[in-house]
Amino acid sequence: MTLGIESIGMVIEGRAEIADDYWGGIESVIQLDEKFPIDAVQGLEEFSHLVVLWHFDQASPDDVEYHARSPRGNIAWPATGTFAHRNHRRPNQLAQSFPRLLQVDGLRLRVADLDAVIGTKVYDLSPYFTEMGPRGPVREPSWPGEMLADYWTEK
C-alpha cells in the first residue's frame, strides 16, 4: 500500500545555509498550502510549541547510509546504527522538530528553533502536547550532548 504523502507547506523564511550547528536565534516561516481553509489553523495560536515533520529534500538520496558509523565522523564517539542517528542519512530522510510557535498569520506560521532551511518541504505539523511527550526518565549516552553542545548556540 502506497501512502501517497504530499507536502502541506514549505519553509519560506529563515536560514538558507545547511549546517550542523548554530541554529540558535533562527526564526522561520512555514507557509501552509493555499488549498487549506484558514480555519485549518484555528486554535493553533494557543500552543507554545509545534511538532513539525519535514523532509531532508535538499540532501542526496545517495547519502543514505545503513551501516553503523561514528556521529559526524568523529571516532571519539561510538559507531552507532542508522536508527540511532537523527540526521539526513536515514532511509526516508524524514526529520521532526519541536519549534516554538511565535505567530499565526493566516496560513503563515512564524516559528523559532526549526532546524530546517528555506525551501524545505513540510509534511505534517501538530501542536505539542505535554501529555504525549516522554513518560518516565529519559536515558541517553553522553555523545549526543557532546555532539550537540553548539546546536542551539547563536552564530
Side-chain angles (χ1 to χ4, degrees):
M1 178 176 152
T2 302
L3 294 178
I5 297 175
E6 296 179 10
S7 67
I8 62 165
M10 181 179 293
V11 178
I12 61 165
E13 290 180 23
R15 184 175 183 164
E17 79 176 275
I18 298 169
D20 285 335
D21 290 311
Y22 308 112
W23 286 91
I26 305 293
E27 289 190 13
S28 303
V29 172
I30 298 170
Q31 175 67 56
L32 297 176
D33 195 296
E34 297 293 328
K35 70 183 174 189
F36 297 109
I38 196 70
D39 64 354
V41 295
Q42 184 173 322
L44 197 59
E45 71 281 352
E46 298 295 320
F47 293 89
S48 66
H49 289 77
L50 301 175
V51 179
V52 178
L53 180 65
W54 52 275
H55 184 239
F56 284 105
D57 53 7
Q58 296 178 41
S60 170
D62 296 333
D63 206 18
V64 171
E65 297 180 7
Y66 296 116
H67 62 277
R69 62 200 182 279
S70 294
R72 294 189 183 177
N74 185 338
I75 60 170
W77 297 321
T80 52
T82 298
F83 296 112
H85 289 257
R86 292 183 51 96
N87 59 32
H88 67 280
R89 293 183 173 93
R90 309 180 59 68
N92 290 311
Q93 295 184 305
L94 294 175
Q96 63 179 351
S97 298
F98 304 90
R100 291 179 288 133
L101 179 60
L102 304 175
Q103 180 185 30
V104 176
D105 180 16
L107 296 175
R108 292 172 59 96
L109 309 177
R110 181 165 293 282
V111 298
D113 304 330
L114 175 67
D115 49 346
V117 296
I118 295 171
T120 298
K121 292 179 184 172
V122 173
Y123 283 87
D124 199 12
L125 63 85
S126 61
Y128 179 83
F129 292 175
T130 302
E131 292 77 12
M132 297 305 291
R135 283 153 305 289
V138 174
R139 182 183 75 243
E140 66 181 4
S142 62
W143 67 263
E146 294 168 10
M147 178 181 70
L148 299 172
D150 289 327
Y151 198 81
W152 297 113
T153 301
E154 290 191 34
K155 207 171 192 184

